Amino acid sequence: VSDARSHRKKPQEPESSTKFAYYLLSLSWAPDFCALPAGDKDPRECGKGRKVGFIVHGLWPQGETTRGPERCGRASPVGQETIRVMLNYIPTESLIQHEWANHGTCSGLGTADYFAAIRKARDSVKIPQEFEAPAQDMHMAPGQIASKFAAANPKFPKGAFRVSCQNGALQEVRICFNKDLTARDCGASAGMCRMDEMLVRHVQ
């Protein structure tokens, strides 16, 4: 897969078994991905005037303190009807196929149920108003971003939100769920940006 997200650093080392503790829903900040020199910049995500903010990167099985298992079996191609529905959440066919092969095969779910779980998890999260379509760059502390998500989602534990960064800018917001897709505090494996302040790029 040529999508640069497949090479993004994830916390800790992988577990060897398909057992996992919880799910991590990764919401990628599209303006950051689109600013990177590498990767497939599909116009559906990075085109001028699209004003794309957070997109679903994936739903990852995680260990409590370690990165979860990956590529747990042969991955049949995701069907066209599932792709059609998922393009409302994940912007490219290649990323949909990649997420199923790398992470979905470790969920213990079939293709349809795995992608239904992604939709259910994402639909349960309200994006704070500041991140809907910012027209100007912002500078925020990682904890400030996590707090804004917690305030917008008061039924979630405050510890359910983590923020990742790269090159001094917002990369992802990560939200943690139990296997039944109820929100939970994140484990150490979810990581957290340690910068005092980061750039939040405006939408294109």
Side-chain angles (χ1 to χ4, degrees):
V1 178
S2 60
D3 198 303
R5 288 190 191 83
S6 64
H7 304 295
R8 287 183 170 189
K9 184 179 179 182
K10 296 174 193 156
Q12 306 303 321
E13 293 301 315
E15 291 184 340
S16 59
S17 78
T18 58
K19 295 180 180 179
F20 64 98
Y22 67 98
Y23 283 120
L24 187 155
L25 176 69
S26 171
L27 300 183
S28 175
W29 186 240
D32 177 69
F33 171 70
C34 297
L36 295 174
D40 178 15
K41 307 304 191 238
D42 192 288
R44 288 171 292 183
E45 181 176 2
C46 297
K48 298 289 185 182
R50 296 286 294 173
K51 300 189 183 305
V52 179
F54 284 109
I55 61 96
V56 173
H57 180 175
L59 185 69
W60 304 335
Q62 292 286 113
E64 199 65 51
T65 59
T66 61
R67 197 174 91 189
E70 294 185 9
R71 304 191 74 86
C72 296
R74 180 178 174 274
S76 299
V78 179
Q80 288 303 308
E81 178 58 24
T82 298
I83 288 175
R84 184 188 67 78
V85 173
M86 291 310 300
L87 285 172
N88 295 311
Y89 295 81
I90 299 175
T92 64
E93 294 86 352
S94 63
L95 186 55
I96 291 169
Q97 299 286 3
H98 171 82
E99 290 304 305
W100 167 244
N102 266 42
H103 304 288
T105 56
C106 299
S107 67
L109 302 174
T111 311
D113 287 342
Y114 175 68
F115 285 106
I118 291 180
R119 296 193 299 273
K120 182 176 180 179
R122 173 61 187 89
D123 290 347
S124 73
V125 178
K126 178 176 173 56
I127 302 297
Q129 185 274 330
E130 295 97 321
F131 298 95
E132 287 290 352
Q136 304 292 330
D137 288 350
M138 300 182 287
H139 290 85
M140 293 185 182
Q144 184 182 6
I145 296 172
S147 293
K148 287 182 179 297
F149 268 81
N153 296 275
K155 293 184 179 180
F156 284 48
K158 290 184 178 180
F161 303 97
R162 298 289 179 88
V163 177
S164 73
C165 54
Q166 62 178 352
N167 302 323
L170 171 64
Q171 177 193 33
E172 296 172 347
V173 170
R174 298 168 172 175
I175 304 112
C176 298
F177 293 88
N178 292 304
K179 293 181 183 181
D180 66 359
L181 299 181
T182 56
R184 56 153 280 172
D185 289 329
C186 290
S189 60
M192 184 69 178
C193 179
R194 300 301 179 189
M195 294 182 62
D196 292 333
E197 188 176 78
M198 68 173 72
L199 168 67
V200 181
R201 291 185 169 92
H202 67 279
V203 300
Q204 300 297 308

